[in-house]
Amino acid sequence: MTVKPLIYGYMRSPDEVSDSELDHALSEMERFAEAEGFCYATTFFECQEGSRSAFEELVAELKRAEARHVVVPSLDHLSGHQLLRDHMVERLERVANACVLTPDSA
């Protein structure tokens, strides 16, 4: 029996995004994980604009579980600002030794 590597999801869920849009994005991440041979663990949702609390919880969980993969619907879910997005990707790589994937990166 082969053990699949864990992958965690991360996405922003602002109030103006409908439940159906969030469900669709979540389904796409889960389908991607299955197709690429990962075990989808859970999704960390960032609900407040400008907050990074879910992101920090994700980093801690990646380290705890020794997981190395994160999937996001698009890199904009990390941040709409290129500099901050690059910093967040670097933090995941450096602190948690994790790579960030998107459903369209397959």
Side-chain angles (χ1 to χ4, degrees):
M1 177 179 200
T2 303
V3 177
K4 295 179 180 182
L6 288 175
I7 191 166
Y8 287 86
Y10 175 84
M11 62 188 296
R12 295 193 175 274
S13 56
D15 290 338
E16 64 270 8
V17 176
S18 71
D19 289 346
S20 63
E21 289 175 287
L22 290 176
D23 285 342
H24 176 73
L26 185 57
S27 294
E28 287 296 309
M29 293 190 308
E30 291 171 344
R31 272 195 285 273
F32 168 81
E34 180 65 28
E36 295 299 313
F38 292 104
C39 175
Y40 197 93
T42 193
T43 304
F44 288 80
F45 291 96
E46 203 73 77
C47 298
Q48 291 185 326
E49 184 67 34
S51 175
R52 286 187 22 171
S53 60
F55 179 79
E56 294 304 327
E57 290 174 21
L58 169 64
V59 171
E61 176 60 15
L62 288 165
K63 290 170 48 178
R64 186 202 66 76
E66 297 182 1
R68 302 289 176 246
H69 301 92
V70 175
V71 62
V72 294
S74 72
L75 292 178
D76 285 342
H77 277 264
L78 293 173
S79 176
H81 301 280
Q82 183 70 45
L83 185 61
L84 181 55
R85 180 173 46 234
D86 291 348
H87 171 75
M88 293 173 79
V89 169
E90 179 191 330
R91 179 162 166 71
L92 287 166
E93 291 170 348
R94 184 176 38 84
V95 175
N97 196 27
C99 65
V100 179
L101 305 168
T102 61
D104 62 359
S105 66

